[in-house]
Amino acid sequence: GAVVSQHPSWVICKSGTSVKIECRSLDFQATTMFWYRQFPKQSLMLMATSNEGSKATYEQGVEKDKFLINHASLTLSTLTVTSAHPEDSSFYICSARDPSGSEFLFNNEQFFGPGTRLTVL
Amino acid sequence: GQNIDQPTEMTATEGAIVQINCTYQTSGFNGLFWYQQHAGEAPTFLSYNVLDGLEEKGRFSSFLSRSKGYSYLLLKELQMKDSASYLCAVPDSNYQLIWGAGTKLIIKP
């Protein structure tokens, strides 16, 4: 089946530093990847939609200069949290879809990475 | 606008049956997903309904009524490991998932 990995699975950093999170599709080509953020006891919040080879589309209220997204290849998207602050501490999850792949039963299905727990001190 | 509603929390007993409801209001319809999410983990796919009716998959079943904008997830023979949040989601025309807030299911022995 389709597998999506994320690295790192958890990270602790000091306030003001930048953190890069990688999202990889291991056995399929992901034309579209989604980045979510989830605070404790809350549902997933879509941050941005990333299409390979083009600029990401950010949701309202998400600062594009703070959350840099790069989707340079069909198997890798990165999210960089620049100048992280304690309020950025959250669970970051990516998902990927490729409607042309045989792994996907439905065009709309998204496969999720395991998530990255970010703690900013 | 687009909106998805589901109960915040439900409690059930091990071995019993529980039904988690989801109502949605969307412009257009591209199917409805149910995901399970354990605390601290990413969501995992449970079911996808695009046609009306009940789809059964082992202990879990999912029902859809497009005319009523309504779906439910039915969990039978509940096990302690079923304690999790259950998320209802509907894709929009750009394939972005619109998520419900999730229903936290607590299983008691």
Side-chain angles (χ1 to χ4, degrees):
Chain A
V3 179
V4 176
S5 70
Q6 271 183 251
H7 177 80
S9 55
W10 60 270
V11 57
I12 302 173
C13 68
K14 293 182 179 179
S15 184
T17 60
S18 294
V19 176
K20 179 186 282 188
I21 303 171
E22 293 185 349
C23 177
R24 292 181 185 273
S25 56
L26 298 185
D27 49 4
F28 67 99
Q29 294 182 329
T31 53
T32 305
M33 287 185 172
F34 302 90
W35 285 97
Y36 295 87
R37 180 168 53 181
Q38 186 175 33
F39 293 106
K41 299 185 179 181
Q42 294 186 23
S43 189
L44 296 166
M45 281 177 36
L46 179 65
M47 298 177 67
T49 301
S50 168
N51 290 300
E52 186 267 337
S54 62
K55 291 184 179 180
T57 303
Y58 289 81
E59 294 301 298
Q60 193 171 9
V62 178
E63 300 175 57
K64 60 180 66 177
D65 293 331
K66 180 171 181 62
F67 298 99
L68 303 178
I69 292 173
N70 183 284
H71 192 164
S73 78
L74 286 171
T75 59
L76 174 64
S77 176
T78 60
L79 167 68
T80 301
V81 184
T82 62
S83 187
H85 291 286
E87 57 265 30
D88 298 322
S89 297
S90 187
F91 191 45
Y92 292 86
I93 308 171
C94 73
S95 69
R97 67 179 288 272
D98 176 12
S100 64
S102 60
E103 299 86 358
F104 289 79
L105 296 176
F106 323 108
N107 279 345
N108 296 317
E109 187 172 6
Q110 294 180 22
F111 287 91
F112 287 84
T116 298
R117 175 78 56 193
L118 171 63
T119 303
V120 184
L121 303 177
Chain B
Q2 306 190 94
N3 190 48
I4 297 180
D5 288 314
Q6 49 181 134
T8 304
E9 186 174 298
M10 298 182 71
T11 302
T13 305
E14 189 177 15
I17 300 173
V18 70
Q19 177 175 311
I20 303 174
N21 296 325
C22 171
T23 58
Y24 62 90
Q25 296 171 324
T26 57
S27 53
F29 183 72
N30 295 302
L32 185 143
F33 286 93
W34 282 98
Y35 283 86
Q36 180 192 60
Q37 185 179 27
H38 285 98
E41 299 180 11
T44 55
F45 170 81
L46 288 178
S47 67
Y48 175 69
N49 292 67
V50 65
L51 299 175
D52 290 348
L54 182 69
E55 297 215 359
E56 299 184 65
K57 190 187 295 185
R59 293 189 300 115
F60 292 6
S61 302
S62 56
F63 171 84
L64 175 68
S65 169
R66 288 172 296 173
S67 62
K68 296 181 179 178
Y70 167 69
S71 173
Y72 68 72
L73 182 68
L74 190 71
L75 292 76
K76 302 177 183 177
E77 301 171 17
L78 286 170
Q79 302 175 10
M80 298 302 294
K81 66 178 181 180
D82 298 329
S83 293
S85 286
Y86 291 85
L87 306 171
C88 174
V90 176
D92 66 13
S93 56
N94 294 319
Y95 300 106
Q96 293 176 354
L97 287 176
I98 304 166
W99 295 89
T103 299
K104 182 179 180 180
L105 178 62
I106 300 169
I107 310 295
K108 294 184 175 180

